[in-house]
Amino acid sequence: MINMPAWQRCLDAQFGSPKPGKYRAQPEDFWVDEQLDFTPEAHGEHLWLRVEKRNQTTLDVVKTLSRLCGVTPRDIGYSGMKDRIAITRQWLSVHLPGRDAPFELEQSLNALGVTVVEQVRHPRKLKRGVHRTNRFVLRLSGEAIESEDFVSRWEALCQHGVPNYFGPQRFGHEGRNLQRAEALLNRGWRKRDDRQGMMLSTARSFLFNELLSARIADDTWSQPLAGDTLMLDGTQSVFHIDASDATLQTRAAELDVHPTGVLWGEGEAGEGDAAVYEARLLQDYPGLCGGLERSGVKQARRALRMRLLEPQLAWEPDAVRLSFALPRGSFATAVLGELMLVS
C-alpha cells in the first residue's frame, strides 16, 4: 500500500527546515476570491451567482442550490472547488430557462452562511477550470513567523517561484483517497466507480508530486533540462525542447517559462535528461502508472513551478497577513509548506 511521503521543500537547502506555524485557526484566517477573466453577458438561460461562503464546501452549496431551485446537481456549474474552513468567493451557475430564481433563495442561503454577492444571466453553463486565478489573503501565526528567516523565505518565493505541488486536500484525510485510488486502479478503473474522476486525479497528482520532489532534491525543478516540455508563464501553452541553452535558462530565471511534469496517462514517453524522472515513476509505481494508462486518461503537463502574483506581506500583532494570487489549479498550501511546518 502506498503511503503519503514527506515531499521535498525547495528552501530547505538555503534556510533549513521551517519552524511550526498556525493558519486557518478560524475561517477568517483563510480568504479566497475566485477571479474570472471575462464578464457574464447579462442575458441567457443560466443564472450566474457570485457567492461568499463560510464553513461550506462548494458541493455543499451545489446541493443547496439544487434543492432550492428544483434542479439536478448537473444543472449547476462551478469552475473550481473551494475550501470549507475559509471565507471563499466563487461563481456558480444554475440552469433556469424561462424562470427566475425562487424568491426565498438569498434568505435561505444566508441562513447557511452563504451570501449572494452578485447575480447575472449568461447564455452558457459555468464550466470547470475557466477562472484565471484565485486571490488569497492568509493570516499566519506561531513560531514560524517569529523566526529570523521568515521574511527571507517569503522574499525567495516571490523572486524564484514556488513548487507547484498538489495540496494535501487532494489526497484526503491521512491519504485515504490515494489508497482508494490505488485499490481502484489495481482492479481496473471503471467510470461507474469514479464518476467524477477523482481517483484518477488523485493518482496523477501523487505521481506529479513525486516527480517534482525528485527534481527539487536534484535542484533541477526550476531550470530547463534536455527533453523538457516548458510552459509559458500565465498560460497553458507548452513547447518541447531538445536541449537547454543560455536564453532558456535566463527566461526560466525571470519566471517567463517553467519546466513541467507529467500528469500520467496514455501518451508518448519522454526523452533526454527530463525523461529520467518519468522512468523512475514507472519503476517505483508500476501499478499506478499502468492503471492510469489502461483507464484511457490522456497524458497532460503541469508546471513544476508557480509564480506568486501581486504578493504582499503585512505585520499584525502576533500574526502576519500574506496576500497573493495563484493560477487556477495551484494550491496556497504549497506556499505555506515552504514557510512553516503545518500539521
Side-chain angles (χ1 to χ4, degrees):
M1 182 177 66
I2 297 174
N3 295 314
M4 293 295 295
W7 287 306
Q8 295 279 337
R9 289 181 295 267
C10 70
L11 297 181
D12 281 8
Q14 183 177 357
F15 298 106
S17 297
K19 302 295 189 296
K22 299 177 182 179
Y23 79 104
R24 202 146 49 184
Q26 55 187 351
E28 287 75 12
D29 292 342
F30 197 99
W31 184 86
V32 190
D33 191 356
E34 181 180 272
Q35 305 288 314
L36 300 178
D37 61 357
F38 63 93
T39 302
E41 297 177 13
H43 66 88
E45 295 186 348
H46 297 265
L47 178 65
W48 282 37
L49 303 169
R50 187 175 181 227
V51 303
E52 179 176 294
K53 59 186 183 64
R54 183 183 191 275
N55 279 338
Q56 294 275 315
T57 69
T58 299
L59 293 182
D60 288 337
V61 180
V62 168
K63 292 177 182 177
T64 300
L65 285 175
S66 173
R67 175 176 54 83
L68 293 174
C69 296
V71 299
T72 67
R74 71 177 59 185
D75 291 320
I76 299 173
Y78 54 90
S79 183
M81 301 283 280
K82 297 294 181 286
D83 299 81
R84 180 176 67 85
I85 305 176
I87 305 296
T88 64
R89 287 191 175 190
Q90 71 175 120
W91 285 94
L92 298 97
S93 70
V94 186
H95 191 210
L96 294 174
R99 62 188 180 99
D100 295 328
F103 176 77
E104 70 278 7
L105 177 66
E106 292 193 37
Q107 183 178 357
S108 299
L109 289 173
N110 285 343
L112 298 173
V114 181
T115 302
V116 176
V117 178
E118 184 179 353
Q119 53 181 302
V120 63
R121 289 277 177 169
H122 192 67
R124 291 171 293 280
K125 179 181 180 179
L126 179 58
K127 299 293 186 181
R128 294 293 298 270
V130 301
H131 65 289
R132 186 170 184 83
T133 61
N134 288 303
R135 184 80 194 173
F136 296 89
V137 180
L138 311 180
R139 186 177 184 273
L140 315 182
S141 60
E143 185 181 350
I145 70 166
E146 300 167 1
S147 174
E148 62 182 16
D149 64 14
F150 180 82
V151 172
S152 297
R153 284 177 173 274
W154 170 250
E155 291 175 345
L157 296 178
C158 294
Q159 181 179 355
H160 302 298
V162 185
N164 197 17
Y165 281 120
F166 286 97
Q169 55 267 56
R170 176 58 57 92
F171 306 103
H173 182 62
E174 297 181 344
R176 290 173 187 169
N177 283 353
L178 179 60
Q179 296 165 15
R180 291 172 57 202
E182 181 185 19
L184 179 58
L185 291 171
N186 283 342
R187 68 174 182 262
W189 183 86
R190 298 178 299 180
K191 186 172 180 59
R192 69 185 186 186
D193 298 326
D194 185 24
R195 293 196 178 277
Q196 302 299 319
M198 182 59 69
M199 296 301 99
L200 293 180
S201 180
T202 297
R204 299 173 97 195
S205 300
F206 171 81
L207 293 172
F208 175 89
N209 280 9
E210 283 285 281
L211 185 151
L212 173 54
S213 190
R215 288 190 63 159
I216 289 174
D218 291 347
D219 197 24
T220 64
W221 70 284
S222 60
Q223 288 294 318
L225 296 177
D228 252 330
T229 297
L230 304 183
M231 183 173 291
L232 293 173
D233 184 61
T235 76
Q236 295 296 307
S237 299
V238 297
F239 61 97
H240 180 79
I241 62 170
D242 294 322
S244 184
D245 58 29
T247 298
L248 289 173
Q249 296 288 331
T250 298
R251 291 180 67 184
E254 295 173 348
L255 305 183
D256 180 48
V257 296
H258 310 291
T260 65
V262 64
L263 295 173
W264 205 278
E266 285 186 335
E268 296 183 2
E271 56 187 36
D273 295 338
V276 171
Y277 297 94
E278 295 181 19
R280 191 180 303 172
L281 291 180
L282 186 58
Q283 176 181 331
D284 292 344
Y285 305 104
L288 291 184
C289 294
L292 286 167
E293 292 172 3
R294 290 189 295 272
S295 77
V297 65
K298 302 301 181 184
Q299 185 183 115
R301 310 296 301 188
R302 175 181 170 93
L304 296 179
R305 180 177 60 175
M306 54 182 169
R307 180 164 61 93
L308 296 175
L309 306 171
E310 301 176 359
Q312 298 177 14
L313 180 152
W315 289 99
E316 301 179 354
D318 302 320
V320 65
R321 189 173 296 271
L322 302 180
S323 174
F324 54 89
L326 296 176
R328 66 175 180 268
S330 293
F331 289 76
T333 47
V335 181
L336 295 178
E338 297 290 336
L339 296 172
M340 62 190 197
L341 295 178
V342 294
S343 57

